[in-house]
Amino acid sequence: MHTRGSSGSRRRTRTAAALALLAAGTAVLTGGGPVGAAPAATTAAPLAVHQDQQDQADGCDVYRSVPPSTDDGPAVKAVTARRSLVIGVDQNSYRWGARNPNTGQIEGFDIDLARAIGAAVMGDPDKVVLKPVATADRIDAIKKGRVDLIVRTMTINCKRMEDVAFSKPYFNISQRVLVPKSSPAKNIDDAIKDKAVCAADGSTALTVVKEKKTARQVVTVENQLDCLVLMQLGKVDATMTDNGLAAGQAAQDQTVRIVDGEAQPEVIGVAMLKDSTDLTARVNQVLADYYARGDWTRSYERWLKPYMLNEAEHYWPAPH
């Protein structure tokens, strides 16, 4: 398996090195390794309207995708003829996609899935390239041909479906808020009202916090991990991100916590060019096989189970 993209500097201390990286405009990288206890569970209040229901009301169905298939159409043939499948991934999100400083390899829940898709399509894991892509650059990377697929906690919504095609969903998420443990905030409203709130550019989290219109300041960054760094430095009061990434950050840094309450339940999927219908069908077949074999559950248990707030069945999207 090949990877490409800068691995960054190893940090002696998280805050000091992170400050240097931010000043240099360099992406902050995380690695694996032991962590402390999982964050305490919180009870999320149910929402009256779920995002998938709202999207369907707006005229699109976030669960809709082409039927699974193993047929080789023009998009799949073009990839195999090129002898490499380039998959855009994250290298900054602990437990989802992060570079292990001991091995130099990118690893995590999304990375397991990316490798499974690559091996199924190419028949050879050595013909798969994992290319780090920033949050804000995901759609552009697909449309400009820098990657064939994005496997990077990417929310499926109506706006994005106008630009790219999505697989069937492979994970349920919702938007949550992280704050320092010293913060008195008890819920999302407490955490963001009249506060400086950080979110990644191009993320659903950024849309959610802007729509609330209660933050004193909204700070945007290229990658969501940069929000954690800014919070560690005291430059922002809270971070809005999805619950999977929030759980990873709370596990990575024991000085932050997830506040009670959730916003906008959503689903995430694999993104690709709109006209690559056969590639979308192949990815959907891989997802179906991946779950049926138990690989999805094994990956969840390895990377996410200690840090998430519910059991695996809560996170695998039910058939629609």
Side-chain angles (χ1 to χ4, degrees), residues 23-307:
T26 306
V28 181
L29 308 184
T30 66
V35 297
T42 58
T43 303
L47 299 183
V49 179
H50 283 204
Q51 180 61 26
D52 56 1
Q53 295 171 328
Q54 183 62 53
D55 276 332
Q56 291 184 51
D58 290 342
C60 79
D61 180 358
V62 297
Y63 292 89
R64 185 182 67 244
S65 186
V66 299
S69 174
T70 58
D71 293 341
D72 287 350
V76 173
K77 289 179 179 177
V79 169
T80 54
R82 196 176 64 228
R83 299 185 179 276
S84 68
L85 177 71
V86 182
I87 304 179
V89 297
D90 198 346
Q91 63 176 0
N92 298 318
S93 296
Y94 188 58
R95 315 304 291 185
W96 287 85
R99 195 177 295 279
N100 186 323
N102 297 317
T103 65
Q105 297 298 305
I106 303 174
E107 59 187 24
F109 181 82
D110 271 347
I111 304 307
D112 284 354
L113 176 58
R115 287 174 173 158
I117 293 170
V121 172
M122 302 304 295
D124 182 351
D126 288 334
K127 294 180 179 178
V128 179
V129 176
L130 301 181
K131 182 175 183 178
V133 175
T135 305
D137 196 36
R138 292 175 296 186
I139 289 178
D140 207 38
I142 293 170
K143 294 176 76 172
K144 292 185 177 179
R146 295 197 297 270
V147 300
D148 299 302
L149 306 170
I150 290 285
V151 183
R152 196 189 184 286
T153 56
M154 190 167 179
T155 301
I156 306 173
N157 60 38
C158 288
K159 187 177 187 314
R160 289 174 178 166
M161 289 173 74
E162 294 175 359
D163 292 315
V164 297
F166 280 98
S167 69
K168 291 183 178 296
Y170 67 86
F171 210 88
N172 291 320
I173 61 170
S174 61
Q175 296 300 313
R176 304 297 296 271
V177 174
L178 278 162
V179 295
K181 282 189 175 178
S182 59
S183 169
K186 296 181 179 179
N187 53 48
I188 289 178
D189 290 338
D190 288 346
I192 68 175
K193 186 178 181 180
D194 299 324
K195 300 293 194 300
V197 184
C198 187
D201 190 20
S203 69
T204 303
L206 181 60
T207 301
V208 171
V209 72
K210 284 184 174 180
E211 286 178 349
K212 285 186 171 291
K213 299 180 179 178
T214 60
R216 169 175 52 82
Q217 179 186 11
V218 178
V219 178
T220 59
V221 294
E222 186 177 58
N223 287 297
Q224 57 87 27
L225 183 64
D226 295 341
C227 286
L228 178 62
V229 175
L230 291 176
M231 199 157 57
Q232 291 166 344
L233 298 173
K235 295 185 179 297
V236 298
D237 303 302
T239 293
M240 176 78 80
T241 187
D242 70 63
N243 60 334
L245 298 177
Q249 290 185 16
Q252 179 183 1
D253 184 348
Q254 300 297 298
T255 69
V256 303
R257 64 182 176 88
I258 306 171
V259 300
D260 194 16
E262 65 178 358
Q264 196 163 300
E266 301 153 347
V267 290
I268 61 178
V270 180
M272 62 216 84
L273 282 173
K274 287 195 73 171
D275 60 359
S276 59
T277 305
D278 59 299
L279 181 58
T280 309
R282 175 64 67 86
V283 170
N284 283 334
Q285 185 65 59
V286 176
L287 285 173
D289 295 341
Y290 191 69
Y291 188 77
R293 289 194 307 263
D295 292 342
W296 185 96
T297 300
R298 281 187 285 273
S299 183
Y300 169 86
E301 290 177 346
R302 178 185 180 188
W303 296 109
L304 303 178
K305 184 176 181 179
Y307 313 104

